[in-house]
Short mmCIF file of all heavy atoms in Angstrom, two decimals:
data_model
loop_
_atom_site.label_atom_id
_atom_site.label_comp_id
_atom_site.label_asym_id
_atom_site.label_seq_id
_atom_site.Cartn_x
_atom_site.Cartn_y
_atom_site.Cartn_z
N VAL A 263 -3.63 3.10 -2.54
CA VAL A 263 -3.14 4.44 -2.23
C VAL A 263 -3.47 5.35 -3.40
O VAL A 263 -3.03 5.12 -4.52
CB VAL A 263 -1.63 4.44 -1.95
CG1 VAL A 263 -1.16 5.84 -1.58
CG2 VAL A 263 -1.29 3.43 -0.86
N ILE A 264 -4.25 6.38 -3.12
CA ILE A 264 -4.63 7.35 -4.14
C ILE A 264 -3.67 8.53 -4.01
O ILE A 264 -3.76 9.32 -3.07
CB ILE A 264 -6.10 7.80 -3.98
CG1 ILE A 264 -7.02 6.58 -4.07
CG2 ILE A 264 -6.45 8.84 -5.03
CD1 ILE A 264 -8.48 6.87 -3.76
N ASP A 265 -2.70 8.58 -4.94
CA ASP A 265 -1.71 9.67 -4.96
C ASP A 265 -2.35 10.88 -5.61
O ASP A 265 -2.80 10.81 -6.76
CB ASP A 265 -0.49 9.25 -5.78
CG ASP A 265 0.29 8.11 -5.17
OD1 ASP A 265 0.27 7.96 -3.94
OD2 ASP A 265 0.95 7.37 -5.93
N CYS A 266 -2.39 11.98 -4.88
CA CYS A 266 -3.04 13.21 -5.36
C CYS A 266 -1.98 14.30 -5.51
O CYS A 266 -1.32 14.66 -4.53
CB CYS A 266 -4.10 13.67 -4.36
SG CYS A 266 -5.34 12.43 -3.97
N LYS A 267 -1.81 14.80 -6.73
CA LYS A 267 -0.83 15.86 -6.97
C LYS A 267 -1.40 17.16 -6.42
O LYS A 267 -2.10 17.91 -7.10
CB LYS A 267 -0.51 15.99 -8.46
CG LYS A 267 0.62 16.96 -8.72
CD LYS A 267 1.03 16.96 -10.17
CE LYS A 267 2.22 17.87 -10.36
NZ LYS A 267 2.71 17.82 -11.74
N THR A 268 -1.09 17.40 -5.16
CA THR A 268 -1.59 18.57 -4.44
C THR A 268 -0.77 18.74 -3.17
O THR A 268 -0.11 17.80 -2.72
CB THR A 268 -3.09 18.41 -4.08
OG1 THR A 268 -3.56 19.61 -3.47
CG2 THR A 268 -3.33 17.24 -3.13
N SER A 269 -0.83 19.91 -2.60
CA SER A 269 -0.19 20.12 -1.30
C SER A 269 -1.22 20.11 -0.17
O SER A 269 -0.86 20.14 0.99
CB SER A 269 0.57 21.45 -1.30
OG SER A 269 -0.33 22.51 -1.54
N GLU A 270 -2.50 20.03 -0.54
CA GLU A 270 -3.58 20.11 0.45
C GLU A 270 -4.68 19.13 0.02
O GLU A 270 -5.18 19.23 -1.09
CB GLU A 270 -4.09 21.55 0.51
CG GLU A 270 -4.74 21.94 1.81
CD GLU A 270 -6.14 21.39 1.94
OE1 GLU A 270 -6.92 21.50 0.97
OE2 GLU A 270 -6.44 20.84 3.00
N LEU A 271 -5.07 18.22 0.91
CA LEU A 271 -5.95 17.11 0.53
C LEU A 271 -7.45 17.33 0.76
O LEU A 271 -8.22 16.41 0.53
CB LEU A 271 -5.52 15.85 1.30
CG LEU A 271 -4.26 15.16 0.82
CD1 LEU A 271 -3.86 14.05 1.79
CD2 LEU A 271 -4.46 14.60 -0.58
N SER A 272 -7.90 18.51 1.15
CA SER A 272 -9.32 18.66 1.50
C SER A 272 -10.25 18.36 0.33
O SER A 272 -11.25 17.64 0.49
CB SER A 272 -9.62 20.04 2.09
OG SER A 272 -9.33 21.04 1.16
N ASP A 273 -9.97 18.86 -0.88
CA ASP A 273 -10.85 18.59 -2.03
C ASP A 273 -10.80 17.11 -2.41
O ASP A 273 -11.84 16.50 -2.70
CB ASP A 273 -10.46 19.44 -3.24
CG ASP A 273 -10.80 20.91 -3.05
OD1 ASP A 273 -11.61 21.24 -2.16
OD2 ASP A 273 -10.25 21.74 -3.80
N ALA A 274 -9.62 16.53 -2.41
CA ALA A 274 -9.48 15.11 -2.72
C ALA A 274 -10.20 14.25 -1.68
O ALA A 274 -10.89 13.29 -2.03
CB ALA A 274 -8.01 14.72 -2.79
N THR A 275 -10.07 14.62 -0.42
CA THR A 275 -10.74 13.88 0.65
C THR A 275 -12.24 13.95 0.47
O THR A 275 -12.94 12.93 0.58
CB THR A 275 -10.34 14.45 2.02
OG1 THR A 275 -8.93 14.30 2.19
CG2 THR A 275 -11.08 13.74 3.15
N ASP A 276 -12.76 15.12 0.18
CA ASP A 276 -14.19 15.29 -0.03
C ASP A 276 -14.67 14.40 -1.18
O ASP A 276 -15.66 13.66 -1.04
CB ASP A 276 -14.51 16.76 -0.30
CG ASP A 276 -15.99 17.04 -0.38
OD1 ASP A 276 -16.72 16.69 0.57
OD2 ASP A 276 -16.42 17.60 -1.41
N PHE A 277 -13.97 14.43 -2.31
CA PHE A 277 -14.38 13.65 -3.47
C PHE A 277 -14.33 12.15 -3.19
O PHE A 277 -15.31 11.43 -3.39
CB PHE A 277 -13.50 13.97 -4.69
CG PHE A 277 -13.81 13.09 -5.86
CD1 PHE A 277 -14.91 13.35 -6.67
CD2 PHE A 277 -13.04 11.98 -6.13
CE1 PHE A 277 -15.22 12.52 -7.75
CE2 PHE A 277 -13.33 11.14 -7.21
CZ PHE A 277 -14.43 11.41 -8.01
N TRP A 278 -13.17 11.64 -2.73
CA TRP A 278 -13.00 10.20 -2.60
C TRP A 278 -13.83 9.62 -1.45
O TRP A 278 -14.36 8.51 -1.57
CB TRP A 278 -11.53 9.84 -2.46
CG TRP A 278 -10.81 10.00 -3.76
CD1 TRP A 278 -9.91 10.99 -4.09
CD2 TRP A 278 -10.95 9.19 -4.93
NE1 TRP A 278 -9.49 10.83 -5.39
CE2 TRP A 278 -10.11 9.73 -5.93
CE3 TRP A 278 -11.72 8.07 -5.25
CZ2 TRP A 278 -10.00 9.17 -7.20
CZ3 TRP A 278 -11.61 7.51 -6.52
CH2 TRP A 278 -10.76 8.06 -7.48
N SER A 279 -13.99 10.34 -0.36
CA SER A 279 -14.81 9.81 0.73
C SER A 279 -16.27 9.72 0.30
O SER A 279 -16.97 8.75 0.61
CB SER A 279 -14.66 10.63 2.01
OG SER A 279 -15.15 11.95 1.83
N LYS A 280 -16.74 10.71 -0.47
CA LYS A 280 -18.12 10.66 -0.97
C LYS A 280 -18.28 9.63 -2.09
O LYS A 280 -19.34 9.03 -2.23
CB LYS A 280 -18.55 12.05 -1.46
CG LYS A 280 -18.78 13.02 -0.32
CD LYS A 280 -19.15 14.40 -0.82
CE LYS A 280 -19.38 15.35 0.34
NZ LYS A 280 -19.63 16.72 -0.13
N THR A 281 -17.23 9.42 -2.88
CA THR A 281 -17.29 8.42 -3.95
C THR A 281 -17.58 7.04 -3.38
O THR A 281 -18.41 6.29 -3.91
CB THR A 281 -15.97 8.40 -4.74
OG1 THR A 281 -15.84 9.65 -5.41
CG2 THR A 281 -15.93 7.27 -5.76
N PHE A 282 -16.89 6.67 -2.30
CA PHE A 282 -17.04 5.33 -1.74
C PHE A 282 -17.97 5.27 -0.54
O PHE A 282 -18.32 4.18 -0.08
CB PHE A 282 -15.66 4.78 -1.34
CG PHE A 282 -14.76 4.56 -2.52
CD1 PHE A 282 -13.68 5.38 -2.74
CD2 PHE A 282 -15.01 3.53 -3.41
CE1 PHE A 282 -12.86 5.19 -3.85
CE2 PHE A 282 -14.20 3.33 -4.51
CZ PHE A 282 -13.12 4.16 -4.73
N GLY A 283 -18.35 6.43 0.00
CA GLY A 283 -19.17 6.45 1.20
C GLY A 283 -18.38 6.07 2.43
O GLY A 283 -18.92 5.54 3.39
N TYR A 284 -17.06 6.32 2.40
CA TYR A 284 -16.19 5.98 3.52
C TYR A 284 -15.87 7.24 4.32
O TYR A 284 -15.61 8.30 3.75
CB TYR A 284 -14.86 5.39 3.04
CG TYR A 284 -14.97 4.07 2.32
CD1 TYR A 284 -13.93 3.63 1.51
CD2 TYR A 284 -16.08 3.24 2.44
CE1 TYR A 284 -13.99 2.41 0.85
CE2 TYR A 284 -16.14 2.02 1.78
CZ TYR A 284 -15.10 1.62 0.98
OH TYR A 284 -15.15 0.41 0.34
N ARG A 285 -15.85 7.11 5.61
CA ARG A 285 -15.53 8.22 6.50
C ARG A 285 -14.03 8.53 6.40
O ARG A 285 -13.20 7.63 6.39
CB ARG A 285 -15.90 7.85 7.94
CG ARG A 285 -15.69 8.96 8.93
CD ARG A 285 -16.34 8.64 10.26
NE ARG A 285 -15.76 7.49 10.90
CZ ARG A 285 -14.99 7.54 12.00
NH1 ARG A 285 -14.74 8.70 12.58
NH2 ARG A 285 -14.49 6.44 12.52
N ALA A 286 -13.70 9.81 6.32
CA ALA A 286 -12.31 10.25 6.27
C ALA A 286 -11.75 10.31 7.69
O ALA A 286 -12.44 10.75 8.62
CB ALA A 286 -12.20 11.62 5.61
N LEU A 287 -10.52 9.84 7.85
CA LEU A 287 -9.86 9.82 9.16
C LEU A 287 -8.54 10.59 9.08
O LEU A 287 -7.46 10.00 9.12
CB LEU A 287 -9.60 8.38 9.60
CG LEU A 287 -10.81 7.46 9.65
CD1 LEU A 287 -10.39 6.01 9.87
CD2 LEU A 287 -11.77 7.92 10.74
N PRO A 288 -8.62 11.94 8.95
CA PRO A 288 -7.38 12.72 8.88
C PRO A 288 -6.62 12.67 10.20
O PRO A 288 -7.23 12.50 11.26
CB PRO A 288 -7.86 14.13 8.55
CG PRO A 288 -9.28 14.16 8.97
CD PRO A 288 -9.80 12.76 8.92
N ASP A 289 -5.31 12.80 10.14
CA ASP A 289 -4.46 12.88 11.31
C ASP A 289 -3.71 14.20 11.22
O ASP A 289 -2.84 14.36 10.35
CB ASP A 289 -3.49 11.70 11.34
CG ASP A 289 -2.60 11.70 12.57
OD1 ASP A 289 -2.48 12.74 13.26
OD2 ASP A 289 -1.99 10.64 12.84
N PRO A 290 -4.03 15.17 12.08
CA PRO A 290 -3.38 16.48 11.99
C PRO A 290 -1.86 16.42 12.05
O PRO A 290 -1.18 17.30 11.53
CB PRO A 290 -3.94 17.25 13.20
CG PRO A 290 -5.21 16.55 13.54
CD PRO A 290 -5.02 15.11 13.16
N ALA A 291 -1.30 15.38 12.63
CA ALA A 291 0.15 15.25 12.71
C ALA A 291 0.76 14.90 11.35
O ALA A 291 1.95 15.12 11.13
CB ALA A 291 0.53 14.18 13.74
N TYR A 292 -0.06 14.36 10.43
CA TYR A 292 0.41 13.96 9.11
C TYR A 292 -0.56 14.47 8.04
O TYR A 292 -1.31 13.69 7.46
CB TYR A 292 0.55 12.43 9.02
CG TYR A 292 1.52 11.88 10.02
CD1 TYR A 292 1.07 11.36 11.22
CD2 TYR A 292 2.88 11.90 9.77
CE1 TYR A 292 1.96 10.86 12.16
CE2 TYR A 292 3.78 11.40 10.69
CZ TYR A 292 3.31 10.88 11.89
OH TYR A 292 4.21 10.40 12.80
N PRO A 293 -0.57 15.77 7.76
CA PRO A 293 -1.55 16.33 6.84
C PRO A 293 -1.40 15.85 5.40
O PRO A 293 -2.31 16.02 4.59
CB PRO A 293 -1.32 17.84 6.94
CG PRO A 293 0.09 17.97 7.43
CD PRO A 293 0.34 16.77 8.30
N GLU A 294 -0.27 15.21 5.06
CA GLU A 294 -0.07 14.72 3.70
C GLU A 294 -0.75 13.36 3.47
O GLU A 294 -0.70 12.82 2.36
CB GLU A 294 1.42 14.64 3.36
CG GLU A 294 2.20 13.60 4.12
CD GLU A 294 2.72 14.05 5.50
OE1 GLU A 294 2.20 15.00 6.10
OE2 GLU A 294 3.68 13.42 5.97
N TYR A 295 -1.40 12.81 4.50
CA TYR A 295 -2.11 11.53 4.39
C TYR A 295 -3.50 11.64 5.00
O TYR A 295 -3.67 12.29 6.03
CB TYR A 295 -1.37 10.43 5.16
CG TYR A 295 0.05 10.22 4.74
CD1 TYR A 295 1.11 10.67 5.53
CD2 TYR A 295 0.37 9.55 3.56
CE1 TYR A 295 2.43 10.48 5.16
CE2 TYR A 295 1.69 9.35 3.17
CZ TYR A 295 2.71 9.81 3.97
OH TYR A 295 4.01 9.62 3.60
N VAL A 296 -4.49 10.98 4.38
CA VAL A 296 -5.81 10.84 4.97
C VAL A 296 -6.26 9.40 4.72
O VAL A 296 -6.34 8.96 3.58
CB VAL A 296 -6.85 11.82 4.37
CG1 VAL A 296 -8.25 11.53 4.91
CG2 VAL A 296 -6.46 13.26 4.66
N MET A 297 -6.54 8.69 5.80
CA MET A 297 -7.04 7.33 5.71
C MET A 297 -8.55 7.40 5.50
O MET A 297 -9.23 8.24 6.08
CB MET A 297 -6.73 6.57 7.00
CG MET A 297 -7.05 5.10 6.95
SD MET A 297 -6.06 4.15 5.77
CE MET A 297 -4.42 4.34 6.42
N LEU A 298 -9.07 6.52 4.63
CA LEU A 298 -10.51 6.36 4.49
C LEU A 298 -10.88 5.07 5.21
O LEU A 298 -10.22 4.04 5.03
CB LEU A 298 -10.93 6.29 3.02
CG LEU A 298 -10.64 7.55 2.20
CD1 LEU A 298 -11.13 7.36 0.76
CD2 LEU A 298 -11.28 8.78 2.80
N GLU A 299 -11.93 5.12 6.02
CA GLU A 299 -12.33 3.96 6.82
C GLU A 299 -13.06 2.94 5.95
O GLU A 299 -14.19 3.18 5.54
CB GLU A 299 -13.22 4.42 7.98
CG GLU A 299 -13.57 3.34 8.95
CD GLU A 299 -14.34 3.89 10.14
OE1 GLU A 299 -15.27 4.70 9.92
OE2 GLU A 299 -14.01 3.51 11.27
N THR A 300 -12.40 1.83 5.66
CA THR A 300 -12.98 0.78 4.82
C THR A 300 -13.62 -0.29 5.71
O THR A 300 -13.25 -0.44 6.88
CB THR A 300 -11.91 0.13 3.92
OG1 THR A 300 -10.86 -0.37 4.74
CG2 THR A 300 -11.36 1.13 2.92
N PRO A 301 -14.57 -1.05 5.16
CA PRO A 301 -15.19 -2.12 5.94
C PRO A 301 -14.18 -3.20 6.35
O PRO A 301 -13.17 -3.41 5.66
CB PRO A 301 -16.23 -2.70 4.98
CG PRO A 301 -16.50 -1.62 3.99
CD PRO A 301 -15.20 -0.88 3.85
N ASP A 302 -14.46 -3.88 7.45
CA ASP A 302 -13.60 -4.97 7.90
C ASP A 302 -13.40 -5.98 6.78
O ASP A 302 -14.33 -6.29 6.04
CB ASP A 302 -14.22 -5.67 9.12
CG ASP A 302 -14.16 -4.84 10.38
OD1 ASP A 302 -13.38 -3.86 10.42
OD2 ASP A 302 -14.90 -5.16 11.33
N GLY A 303 -12.18 -6.48 6.67
CA GLY A 303 -11.87 -7.48 5.66
C GLY A 303 -11.46 -6.92 4.32
O GLY A 303 -10.97 -7.65 3.46
N GLU A 304 -11.66 -5.63 4.09
CA GLU A 304 -11.25 -5.00 2.83
C GLU A 304 -9.89 -4.33 3.01
O GLU A 304 -9.52 -3.95 4.11
CB GLU A 304 -12.28 -3.95 2.39
CG GLU A 304 -13.57 -4.56 1.91
CD GLU A 304 -14.49 -3.53 1.27
OE1 GLU A 304 -14.05 -2.38 1.01
OE2 GLU A 304 -15.65 -3.88 1.03
N PRO A 305 -9.13 -4.17 1.91
CA PRO A 305 -7.86 -3.45 2.02
C PRO A 305 -8.08 -2.03 2.53
O PRO A 305 -9.15 -1.45 2.37
CB PRO A 305 -7.35 -3.41 0.57
CG PRO A 305 -8.02 -4.54 -0.11
CD PRO A 305 -9.38 -4.65 0.55
N LYS A 306 -7.04 -1.48 3.14
CA LYS A 306 -7.08 -0.10 3.57
C LYS A 306 -7.10 0.80 2.34
O LYS A 306 -6.73 0.38 1.25
CB LYS A 306 -5.85 0.21 4.43
CG LYS A 306 -5.83 -0.53 5.74
CD LYS A 306 -4.51 -0.40 6.47
CE LYS A 306 -4.28 0.98 6.98
NZ LYS A 306 -3.08 1.12 7.80
N MET A 307 -7.53 2.04 2.51
CA MET A 307 -7.51 3.03 1.44
C MET A 307 -6.93 4.32 2.02
O MET A 307 -7.37 4.80 3.06
CB MET A 307 -8.91 3.26 0.88
CG MET A 307 -8.92 4.18 -0.33
SD MET A 307 -10.51 4.23 -1.16
CE MET A 307 -10.43 2.70 -2.07
N LEU A 308 -5.94 4.86 1.33
CA LEU A 308 -5.21 6.02 1.81
C LEU A 308 -5.10 7.06 0.71
O LEU A 308 -4.79 6.72 -0.43
CB LEU A 308 -3.80 5.59 2.24
CG LEU A 308 -2.84 6.67 2.70
CD1 LEU A 308 -3.26 7.21 4.07
CD2 LEU A 308 -1.42 6.12 2.77
N LEU A 309 -5.35 8.32 1.05
CA LEU A 309 -5.07 9.44 0.16
C LEU A 309 -3.70 9.99 0.56
O LEU A 309 -3.39 10.10 1.74
CB LEU A 309 -6.11 10.55 0.31
CG LEU A 309 -7.57 10.16 0.12
CD1 LEU A 309 -8.47 11.37 0.33
CD2 LEU A 309 -7.79 9.57 -1.25
N GLN A 310 -2.89 10.33 -0.43
CA GLN A 310 -1.54 10.81 -0.17
C GLN A 310 -1.25 12.02 -1.07
O GLN A 310 -1.42 11.94 -2.28
CB GLN A 310 -0.56 9.67 -0.47
CG GLN A 310 0.88 10.03 -0.38
CD GLN A 310 1.77 8.81 -0.63
OE1 GLN A 310 2.39 8.34 0.28
NE2 GLN A 310 1.83 8.32 -1.85
N ALA A 311 -0.83 13.12 -0.46
CA ALA A 311 -0.41 14.29 -1.24
C ALA A 311 0.99 14.02 -1.78
O ALA A 311 1.89 13.63 -1.04
CB ALA A 311 -0.41 15.53 -0.36
N VAL A 312 1.16 14.20 -3.10
CA VAL A 312 2.44 13.93 -3.75
C VAL A 312 2.80 15.07 -4.70
O VAL A 312 1.95 15.89 -5.04
CB VAL A 312 2.39 12.59 -4.54
CG1 VAL A 312 2.15 11.42 -3.61
CG2 VAL A 312 1.33 12.64 -5.64
N ASP A 313 4.06 15.07 -5.16
CA ASP A 313 4.47 16.10 -6.12
C ASP A 313 4.61 15.53 -7.53
O ASP A 313 4.98 16.24 -8.45
CB ASP A 313 5.75 16.80 -5.68
CG ASP A 313 6.91 15.85 -5.49
OD1 ASP A 313 6.79 14.65 -5.80
OD2 ASP A 313 7.98 16.32 -5.03
N HIS A 314 4.30 14.25 -7.72
CA HIS A 314 4.32 13.65 -9.07
C HIS A 314 2.88 13.56 -9.59
O HIS A 314 1.94 13.92 -8.88
CB HIS A 314 5.00 12.27 -9.06
CG HIS A 314 4.39 11.27 -8.12
ND1 HIS A 314 3.13 10.72 -8.30
CD2 HIS A 314 4.87 10.73 -6.99
CE1 HIS A 314 2.87 9.87 -7.34
NE2 HIS A 314 3.90 9.87 -6.51
N ASP A 315 2.71 13.12 -10.82
CA ASP A 315 1.37 13.01 -11.39
C ASP A 315 0.47 12.13 -10.52
O ASP A 315 0.94 11.16 -9.91
CB ASP A 315 1.43 12.42 -12.80
CG ASP A 315 1.99 13.40 -13.82
OD1 ASP A 315 2.01 14.62 -13.53
OD2 ASP A 315 2.40 12.94 -14.90
N SER A 316 -0.81 12.45 -10.49
CA SER A 316 -1.77 11.67 -9.73
C SER A 316 -1.91 10.29 -10.33
O SER A 316 -1.87 10.11 -11.56
CB SER A 316 -3.14 12.37 -9.74
OG SER A 316 -3.07 13.60 -9.04
N ARG A 317 -2.03 9.30 -9.46
CA ARG A 317 -2.23 7.91 -9.88
C ARG A 317 -2.70 7.12 -8.66
O ARG A 317 -2.74 7.64 -7.55
CB ARG A 317 -0.94 7.31 -10.44
CG ARG A 317 0.22 7.31 -9.46
CD ARG A 317 1.49 6.76 -10.09
NE ARG A 317 2.62 6.91 -9.21
CZ ARG A 317 3.78 7.43 -9.55
NH1 ARG A 317 3.96 7.88 -10.78
NH2 ARG A 317 4.76 7.51 -8.70
N ILE A 318 -3.04 5.90 -8.88
CA ILE A 318 -3.39 5.00 -7.78
C ILE A 318 -2.38 3.87 -7.79
O ILE A 318 -2.07 3.31 -8.83
CB ILE A 318 -4.83 4.46 -7.94
CG1 ILE A 318 -5.83 5.62 -7.86
CG2 ILE A 318 -5.13 3.42 -6.86
CD1 ILE A 318 -7.26 5.23 -8.12
N HIS A 319 -1.83 3.55 -6.62
CA HIS A 319 -0.92 2.42 -6.53
C HIS A 319 -1.34 1.52 -5.38
O HIS A 319 -2.16 1.90 -4.56
CB HIS A 319 0.54 2.88 -6.40
CG HIS A 319 0.94 3.39 -5.05
ND1 HIS A 319 0.94 4.73 -4.73
CD2 HIS A 319 1.36 2.74 -3.95
CE1 HIS A 319 1.35 4.88 -3.49
NE2 HIS A 319 1.62 3.68 -2.98
N ILE A 320 -0.79 0.32 -5.36
CA ILE A 320 -1.10 -0.60 -4.27
C ILE A 320 0.08 -0.71 -3.32
O ILE A 320 1.23 -0.49 -3.70
CB ILE A 320 -1.50 -2.00 -4.77
CG1 ILE A 320 -0.35 -2.66 -5.54
CG2 ILE A 320 -2.76 -1.95 -5.61
CD1 ILE A 320 -0.58 -4.13 -5.86
N ASP A 321 -0.24 -1.04 -2.07
CA ASP A 321 0.76 -1.43 -1.09
C ASP A 321 0.58 -2.92 -0.85
O ASP A 321 -0.55 -3.39 -0.68
CB ASP A 321 0.58 -0.70 0.24
CG ASP A 321 1.07 0.74 0.22
OD1 ASP A 321 1.68 1.15 -0.78
OD2 ASP A 321 0.84 1.43 1.22
N ILE A 322 1.67 -3.66 -0.84
CA ILE A 322 1.65 -5.07 -0.51
C ILE A 322 2.20 -5.21 0.91
O ILE A 322 3.33 -4.78 1.18
CB ILE A 322 2.49 -5.88 -1.51
CG1 ILE A 322 1.88 -5.78 -2.91
CG2 ILE A 322 2.62 -7.33 -1.05
CD1 ILE A 322 2.71 -6.43 -4.00
N GLU A 323 1.38 -5.75 1.81
CA GLU A 323 1.83 -6.01 3.17
C GLU A 323 2.71 -7.25 3.17
O GLU A 323 2.37 -8.25 2.53
CB GLU A 323 0.64 -6.34 4.09
CG GLU A 323 -0.34 -5.24 4.33
CD GLU A 323 -1.48 -5.74 5.20
OE1 GLU A 323 -2.40 -6.39 4.67
OE2 GLU A 323 -1.44 -5.50 6.42
N ALA A 324 3.81 -7.22 3.91
CA ALA A 324 4.68 -8.38 4.03
C ALA A 324 5.32 -8.40 5.42
O ALA A 324 5.67 -7.35 5.95
CB ALA A 324 5.76 -8.37 2.96
#
Side-chain angles (χ1 to χ4, degrees):
V263 182
I264 301 173
D265 294 332
C266 305
K267 187 173 184 176
T268 184
S269 60
E270 205 283 314
L271 285 172
S272 62
D273 289 343
T275 299
D276 186 54
F277 175 80
W278 288 108
S279 65
K280 288 178 180 175
T281 294
F282 294 108
Y284 295 161
R285 184 168 64 109
L287 304 170
D289 182 344
Y292 300 97
E294 68 274 22
Y295 304 104
V296 174
M297 187 65 63
L298 298 181
E299 186 174 45
T300 57
D302 288 343
E304 289 189 11
K306 294 170 69 174
M307 186 170 281
L308 177 71
L309 304 179
Q310 175 177 250
V312 297
D313 59 5
H314 57 69
D315 288 342
S316 294
R317 59 182 173 230
I318 297 175
H319 76 264
I320 62 170
D321 283 353
I322 296 174
E323 294 177 279

